Amino acid sequence: MKFAERMAKVSPSATLKLTSKAKEMKAKGFPVISFGAGEPDFDTPQPVKDEAVKCLAAGFTKYTPTSGIPELREAVCRKFKEDQGLDYTPEQVVISCGAKHSLYNLIQVLCGPGDEILIPTPYWVSYPEMAYLAGAKPVFIPTHQSEGFRLKPEALKKAITPHSKVLILNSPSNPTGAILEEKELREIGQIALEHNLICISDEIYEYYLYGGRKHVSIASLSPELKKNTFVVNGTSKSYSMTGLRIGYLAGDAETVKKIGILQDHSTSNPTSISQKMAVAALALPKSYRADVLKKFETRMKRMIELLSAVKGFKPFTPEGAFYVFCDISATGIASEAFCDQLLEKIHVAVIPGKSFGSDKHVRFSFASSEKDIEEGIARIVDWAQCLKRGEDEL
Ligand code: PMP
Ligand code: GLU
């Protein structure tokens, strides 16, 4: 088959591929421990599930407005106001089938051939592919573990060309867990304004912040920054609703309208029932998130403690999100081979850093129980001992 040219540069999602391989092996009876999935292991909250039952009973199973039911768009506006003091009207909000879909649509609407999309590395796997799918060029801006994976203003300036159109920010970051502090965001924002760059701020991990840190959205820093920023978020990570596929974005009303048109001719509305479930999720008391955060912080600390003790591993202590990005270069194994070996020999799933733009790293998700964290890393310790003694072929 001869495929469309736009598919030529696009590769499968490593996160989804490895996660489903691990699930498949588990179903076949292998004792797999997965640190792969970027999805909270908690059940979807009961009030959210109850809403689905109500929807079915009421026959809320038909088309809805393409850009989302008014009730959900209003709930999203309230969320932005409460969390960041951001004022948006429902006309500035569009609901999509997951934050991934929001990002995809936005990039389709804004970028095309000749445009460059600035992406700090390490990056979430789908950003470069979304650029390719729009015919645009991803331009990578390196950040380093020794500098806390911070996006430096000088590095940003160096990457800007007359073709630069969009800058993607993801704080807290998947895969590093690094965050951007207000001062850094102000500097980055200033550069974005000077160079007429549109900011896409992917804030899907905003509620996962450790050490009492507070989330800052670049859009909240000035009216000018709000004008040139699109804030992307969703209910997948915050409310254990990954399979229900609700994402949203807020920003310039004209762009939002264009996304509505794109959805009109591609997906139509996100699932009616999921939208109502998202309304219920956004109405949950703050205590729900506080409880989840507490559990994640405990797991993060334990995972860092255990990984730091593995010879040759240099884990980066995350400030947010639920991943540990770990430098494994001292093992001398490239990240994909490392992950293949781990899964095949000791049935532990982790994601190769190569797909996030760093072959020196692998990503561990701590969206798994403490028991699994203890057991999975104990297996890695044993395996690392064998490697050291040369008992295992590389
Ligand atoms: N952004 C980032 C940084 C992510 O890690 C993910 C992965 N879930 C998404 C967006 C998309 O999430 P979803 O489509 O499930 O809302
Ligand atoms: N974003 C999650 C991850 O990084 C889920 C998988 C995906 O959509 O990429 O693992």
Side-chain angles (χ1 to χ4, degrees):
M1 186 69 70
K2 192 171 182 311
F3 295 108
E5 208 180 305
R6 79 177 78 83
M7 287 308 290
K9 285 188 182 152
V10 183
S11 15
S13 161
T15 44
L16 294 179
K17 197 167 108 189
L18 224 122
T19 305
S20 62
K21 188 171 172 196
K23 281 186 183 165
E24 211 176 281
M25 284 176 70
K26 209 166 184 170
K28 283 186 186 151
F30 291 96
V32 174
I33 292 184
S34 181
F35 300 130
E39 65 180 347
D41 54 321
F42 305 118
D43 196 7
T44 307
Q46 196 55 47
V48 176
K49 292 208 264 186
D50 291 345
E51 192 58 38
V53 178
K54 275 193 234 159
C55 283
L56 285 173
F60 192 71
T61 50
K62 304 286 168 59
Y63 291 135
T64 77
T66 299
S67 298
I69 52 174
E71 204 184 339
L72 180 53
R73 292 167 89 181
E74 280 156 21
V76 167
C77 292
R78 276 197 303 279
K79 178 239 168 288
F80 279 122
K81 181 72 182 164
E82 273 168 33
D83 286 348
Q84 276 110 24
L86 283 165
D87 281 301
Y88 292 111
T89 60
E91 292 70 40
Q92 292 177 285
V93 170
V94 52
I95 313 298
S96 303
C97 311
K100 187 183 278 183
H101 190 216
S102 306
L103 289 159
Y104 175 85
N105 285 344
L106 187 55
I107 290 172
Q108 284 290 321
V109 162
L110 294 177
C111 300
D115 293 327
E116 292 179 357
I117 302 182
L118 298 160
I119 306 176
T121 51
Y123 47 74
W124 176 47
V125 292
S126 292
Y127 299 146
E129 316 305 288
M130 287 178 187
Y132 293 131
L133 284 166
K137 181 179 166 196
V139 172
F140 301 108
I141 315 174
T143 73
H144 306 284
Q145 184 162 343
S146 56
E147 295 175 341
F149 290 117
R150 332 278 329 163
L151 172 59
K152 298 282 176 193
E154 313 79 64
L156 171 58
K157 281 188 203 155
K158 221 169 121 187
I160 294 173
T161 76
H163 302 289
S164 308
K165 179 141 191 202
V166 163
L167 166 66
I168 301 187
L169 298 173
N170 175 216
S171 173
S173 147
N174 174 7
T176 66
I179 61 157
L180 288 164
E181 312 267 4
E182 181 173 335
K183 186 172 167 287
E184 294 167 301
L185 284 171
R186 283 197 187 277
E187 283 176 332
I188 292 166
Q190 189 52 40
I191 299 169
L193 290 175
E194 277 163 20
H195 294 270
N196 215 10
L197 291 176
I198 299 164
C199 295
I200 297 183
S201 185
D202 178 350
E203 303 183 9
I204 193 130
Y205 296 100
E206 69 170 327
Y207 294 141
Y208 296 96
L209 282 169
Y210 306 115
R213 290 179 170 86
K214 293 268 171 291
H215 176 68
V216 181
S217 172
I218 190 163
S220 69
L221 296 180
S222 73
E224 293 74 27
L225 280 170
K226 180 171 175 248
K227 222 168 140 199
N228 80 337
T229 298
F230 292 90
V231 184
V232 177
N233 213 319
T235 52
S236 286
K237 316 286 173 176
S238 309
Y239 301 105
S240 278
M241 290 172 63
T242 43
L244 292 159
R245 312 306 304 133
I246 293 294
Y248 51 85
L249 68 79
D252 167 61
E254 208 187 335
T255 313
V256 159
K257 213 166 166 184
K258 291 266 186 245
I259 293 176
I261 297 171
L262 180 57
Q263 291 194 171
D264 272 349
H265 297 293
S266 50
T267 52
S268 296
N269 60 277
T271 306
S272 56
I273 296 172
S274 295
Q275 291 188 66
K276 286 275 194 185
M277 293 172 87
V279 173
L282 292 173
L284 285 171
K286 283 199 173 99
S287 56
Y288 169 78
R289 283 162 6 214
D291 288 348
V292 172
L293 178 65
K294 217 163 126 198
K295 290 186 183 117
F296 271 95
E297 185 144 21
T298 308
R299 291 167 175 192
M300 182 273 280
K301 286 184 180 154
R302 188 70 185 129
M303 186 173 254
I304 286 292
E305 187 185 5
L306 293 170
L307 286 177
S308 304
V310 183
K311 202 145 189 256
F313 281 23
K314 266 202 291 174
F316 176 72
T317 304
E319 298 159 312
F322 40 71
Y323 307 105
V324 174
F325 209 47
C326 184
D327 183 337
I328 47 111
S329 56
T331 63
I333 316 174
S335 67
E336 280 175 319
F338 183 96
C339 295
D340 284 347
Q341 288 193 34
L342 235 54
L343 190 56
E344 266 152 42
K345 293 188 193 295
I346 58 169
H347 309 309
V348 174
V350 297
I351 312 280
K354 192 175 176 192
S355 32
F356 302 98
S358 171
D359 210 12
K360 282 167 57 175
H361 289 84
V362 295
R363 189 194 78 175
F364 290 79
S365 157
F366 48 90
S368 39
S369 70
E370 266 185 82
K371 188 172 154 281
D372 276 2
I373 292 173
E374 305 273 343
E375 160 78 21
I377 301 178
R379 286 189 205 170
I380 295 174
V381 170
D382 287 346
W383 176 73
Q385 290 294 339
C386 295
L387 273 186
K388 237 175 44 198
R389 292 198 300 264
E391 285 170 16
D392 217 342
E393 80 279 11
L394 295 182

